[in-house]
Structures are given as structure tokens and as C-alpha cells.
């Protein structure tokens, strides 16, 4: 079976940028282990001036130039035309598109599957900025029209499936995102009191809530240290974080780590006591799945897709991302109990092995390909 994976794919597969690229690398590598699959990745990038083909492990990578314009214009205009023309030449038996690449394959006369990784219109509205609501409305119109035309959709979370109700007309399959199998082999070497969070610095990811919770813990006499990893996407918001740290004398309790390599993330997850993420909106954050795979308890927001990943009271705690006292209360509960951290971490790893291991995700995805092909040729 010749499979065309149409997705964002990094120039260096060992250093993906963002969740979609990371998921694509993990899934493609795992799919390529099946002897009956001939895996081809087709991607477009601004660093590419002309179409190129190369081999990576057991996969063929096809890199196309960026056709021009914004992400939306590229996905619905010249980029879409370029992608469909290339796929006609490639002749895959089935196409698996991810994220905005799903808009590019709408209408192709080949069995195809679409994985929705995020709701761009929601993220656009929450991020704010110039004409954010106008841009959000436009993205909502484009996204919902695209979803309605997809014959097969992979939902990475029940939250995604719920939002497709009344819009999607095709078959919907529930399959979680995979994480690298390296996370399952990280040895825990806990430095008690360290809270680790990995997310870009932005209002959407809401790290200020963690800083406020840290201030609450300090007022209560609970010793803790917060390690924040992630690149800055909002300079003004970053200034607010710096001002809060200075105002509350937290400089010795907060480490800003910036962008980390995979080995550095492994090290942080090995050493930290707790992983925390207090985003205002997420579908299925890879960072939570990675922490669970390592065997860490997780404290995260009680909204959107996060409650479908963390079992409250079993593998971690769900908190109100707008209530620093609620966040601090759960962090303290974990920090003060070695047994609770151990048991929740073990439960999280058990769940992660079943839901997020790349071999299992790839096997489930392959079954969807076979079903999509059967349904396509039956019509």
C-alpha cells in the first residue's frame, strides 16, 4: 500500500518545531515499520526553492516550495493546486493529510484521511491582536467547510469529535497522537520540588497562572521551583511575566529555559516532580502525553481536550486555569506526598503505553487506511 502523508515535516526530522511536526515524525517512523506500507511524506516549506526528493530511514520525503502568501492562501490557492498536481503524479493508494494540509487535499479522487490537530479559528480569537475576530471568523468559515467535505477524519480527542458534531459528514475515528518511544525509557531521577512546564510563552498557554500559583505556594511556606521551557510568541506578555517575577521576588524560584532539544526535555522530565500546563485552550497537547510516558503526575486545565488525557485523582489533577489558588492547592498536594506522585505517575505511564505509544497509534492508523480504501472502492 502506497501511503502519502501530507503534512508539516521538519527539515531536520531529529529537531521538529511544534506539535504537528513532532507527531508527523513519530507517526511516519512507526508506519514505515510495516512491511506492507510504502510511506511517502509530501510537505511544503519556505526553505525549499524547487521540488526535491530524498530518503529518510525507510521513508521517501518529497519537499515542495511554498507556493506563496499566508498559510490560509497557500492552503486554499496556489499551494493547493501545486499539492494536488504533485499527488496525481505520485499516485498514492491512500492520502493522510494533517492540519491545514487537509484543505489542500479536499476533493482529490483518492481515498483520503484527515487528522485535525487544532482549531485555528479558536486559537486566533484567544491570541487576540489586530483584527483577531475578523481573522477568526474567516478561519472558522474555511475550517468548517473543509471538515464537512472530508470522507474520513481522525479525531485526536473526544473534544475534537464533539466540536465536529453537526459539521462533519464522513466517518470519524478516535486515535490519539503518538509520542516518541524514547520517552518511555527515560529514567526518573527526581529533584523534589521542581515543577516543569513546556509551552510557548503566550497568553493562550497561560504560564502567568503558574507563576501566580508559585507565589501562593511561597506564601504558604511550600518550597517549589518552576522550570519554564518554550520560545516567546508574545513579547508584551513575556514582559508581564518578567514584571510579576520581579514584583514577587521569584527570580531564584523560576528558571526560563527557552527552546529545548529532545535530550534536554528528557532531562527535565527525568528530574521534575510534576509536569504542569495551564493553557486556556488545547486539543491534545503532546507535552502532557510525553510527561505521562515518562511516568510523571500532571496538573493541567479542566477544559477543552486536557480532561480527556488526564484522569483527575488518578494520573494527575485538573484545575481551573484562571484560579491560581486551585492550581497551588493541587501542586502542594502532590509536592507533599511522595506516594501520591509515584502512584499517579505510574498510572499515567500505564495509560500512555496504551494510548500514545507510536507502534499502537500506527497500527490503529493503518486500519483506518484499509477501511478508507475499502469504503472508497465500494462506492
Amino acid at each position: 500500500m502506497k501511503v502519502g502523508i501530507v503534512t508539516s515535516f521538519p527539515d531536520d526530522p531529529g529537531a521538529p518545531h511544534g506539535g504537528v511536526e513532532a507527531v508527523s515524525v513519530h507517526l511516519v517512523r512507526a508506519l514505515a515499520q510495516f512491511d506492507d506500507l510504502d510511506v511517502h511524506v509530501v510537505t511544503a516549506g519556505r526553505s525549499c526553492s524547487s521540488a526535491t526528493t530524498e530518503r529518510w530511514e525507510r521513508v521517501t520525503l518529497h519537499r515542495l516550495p511554498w507556493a506563496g502568501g499566508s498559510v490560509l492562501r497557500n492552503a486554499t490557492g496556489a499551494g493547493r493546486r501545486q499539492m494536488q498536481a504533485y499527488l496525481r503524479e505520485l499516485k498514492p493508494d491512500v492520502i493522510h493529510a494533517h492540519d491545514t494540509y487537509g484543505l489542500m487535499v479536499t476533493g482529490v479522487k483518492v481515498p483520503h484521511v484527515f487528522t485535525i490537530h487544532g482549531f485555528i479559528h479558536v486559537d486566533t480569537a484567544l491570541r487576540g491582536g489586530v483584527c483577531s475576530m475578523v481573522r477568526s471568523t474567516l478561519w472558522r468559515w474555511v475550517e468548517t467547510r473543509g471538515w464537512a467535505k472530508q470522507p474520513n477524519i481522525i479525531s485526536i480527542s473526544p473534544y475534537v469529535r464533539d466540536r465536529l458534531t453537526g459539521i462533519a459528514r464522513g466517518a470519524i475515528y478516535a486515535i490519539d497522537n503518538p509520542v516518541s518511544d524514547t520517552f518511555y525509557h527515560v529514567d526518573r531521577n527526581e529533584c523534589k520540588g521542581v515543577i516543569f512546564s513546556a509551552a510557548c510563552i503566550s497568553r493562550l498557554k497561560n504560564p502567568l497562572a503558574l507563576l501566580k500559583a508559585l507565589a501562593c505556594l511561597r506564601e504558604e511556606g511550600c518550597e517549589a521551583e518552576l522550570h519554564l521551557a518554550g520560545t516567546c510568541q508574545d513579547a508584551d506578555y513575556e514582559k508581564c511575566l518578567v514584571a510579576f517575577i520581579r514584583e514577587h521576588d521569584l527570580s531564584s524560584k523560576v528558571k526560563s529555559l527557552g527552546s529545548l532539544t529532545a535530550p534536554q526535555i528528557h532531562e527535565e522530565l527525568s528530574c521534575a516532580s510534576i509536569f504542569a500546563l495551564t493553557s486556556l485552550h488545547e486539543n491534545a497537547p503532546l507535552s502532557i502525553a510525553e510527561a505521562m510516558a515518562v511516568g510523571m503526575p500532571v496538573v493541567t486545565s479542566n477544559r477543552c481536550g486536557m480532561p480527556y488525557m488526564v484522569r483527575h485523582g488518578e494520573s494527575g489533577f485538573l484545575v481551573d486555569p484562571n484560579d491560581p489558588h486551585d492550581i497551588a492547592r493541587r501542586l502542594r498536594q502532590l509536592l507533599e506526598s511522595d506516594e501520591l506522585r509515584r502512584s499517579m505517575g505510574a498510572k499515567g505511564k500505564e495509560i500512555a503505553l496504551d494510548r500514545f505509544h507510536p507502534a499502537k497509534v500506527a497500527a490503529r492508523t493503518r486500519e483506518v487506511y484499509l477501511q478508507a480504501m475499502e469504503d472508497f472502492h465500494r462506492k
Side-chain angles (χ1 to χ4, degrees), residues 72-109:
L72 179 58
R73 288 178 60 191
N74 188 64
T76 58
R80 181 173 184 268
R81 292 190 293 273
Q82 173 185 247
M83 181 62 71
Q84 294 205 8
Y86 197 89
L87 290 172
R88 283 194 292 271
E89 292 294 322
L90 185 62
K91 294 183 174 62
D93 296 308
V94 63
I95 295 169
H96 185 179
H98 295 254
D99 206 40
T100 56
Y101 283 82
L103 299 173
M104 293 185 181
V105 303
T106 302
V108 296
K109 304 304 181 182

Side-chain angles (χ1 to χ4, degrees), residues 124-302:
T124 301
L126 288 172
R127 285 194 179 100
V130 179
C131 300
S132 62
M133 295 312 297
V134 173
R135 290 184 289 112
S136 174
T137 300
L138 177 59
W139 265 114
R140 180 178 177 83
W141 183 80
V142 171
E143 286 185 296
T144 53
R145 278 173 56 87
W147 301 337
K149 295 177 181 178
Q150 297 294 337
N152 303 282
I153 292 176
I154 289 179
S155 167
I156 61 174
S157 164
Y159 171 68
V160 172
R161 190 183 191 107
D162 289 347
R163 293 188 69 90
L164 294 175
T165 302
I167 301 173
R169 301 167 188 167
I172 300 177
Y173 301 90
I175 304 178
D176 293 284
N177 278 333
V179 300
S180 170
D181 61 1
T182 58
F183 286 95
Y184 295 92
H185 304 292
V186 172
D187 293 325
R188 296 283 285 135
N189 186 25
E190 183 182 343
C191 298
K192 191 172 180 179
V194 174
I195 302 162
F196 177 55
S197 184
C200 62
I201 305 303
S202 68
R203 287 175 172 81
L204 183 64
K205 302 300 183 180
N206 195 32
L208 182 57
L210 288 175
L211 291 177
K212 290 179 178 179
L214 185 66
C216 292
L217 290 174
R218 189 173 187 186
E219 290 175 3
E220 296 167 0
C222 180
E223 287 297 318
E225 185 175 301
L226 178 62
H227 291 189
L228 291 173
T231 56
C232 177
Q233 290 190 348
D234 186 332
D236 290 336
Y237 185 74
E238 185 178 42
K239 290 176 183 176
C240 292
L241 300 184
V242 172
F244 185 90
I245 291 170
R246 183 171 55 249
E247 180 183 349
H248 292 81
D249 192 25
L250 293 174
S251 58
S252 64
K253 300 296 182 182
V254 179
K255 286 187 178 181
S256 296
L257 305 174
S259 180
L260 300 182
T261 63
Q264 289 172 324
I265 293 174
H266 291 163
E267 181 64 23
E268 288 294 327
L269 290 173
S270 170
C271 295
S273 294
I274 304 167
F275 180 82
L277 184 70
T278 50
S279 299
L280 300 177
H281 182 265
E282 298 274 7
N283 288 337
L286 205 60
S287 58
I288 288 180
E290 290 169 347
M292 291 172 64
V294 170
M296 290 183 66
V298 176
V299 173
T300 193
S301 303
N302 60 2

Side-chain angles (χ1 to χ4, degrees), residues 301-331:
S301 303
N302 60 2
R303 58 179 61 183
C304 306
M306 290 164 280
Y308 297 106
M309 300 182 75
V310 175
R311 294 182 189 173
H312 183 70
E314 293 185 43
S315 60
F317 289 119
L318 300 173
V319 295
D320 182 348
N322 293 312
D323 186 348
H325 294 284
D326 184 31
I327 300 168
R329 177 168 64 93
R330 294 306 190 182
L331 290 172

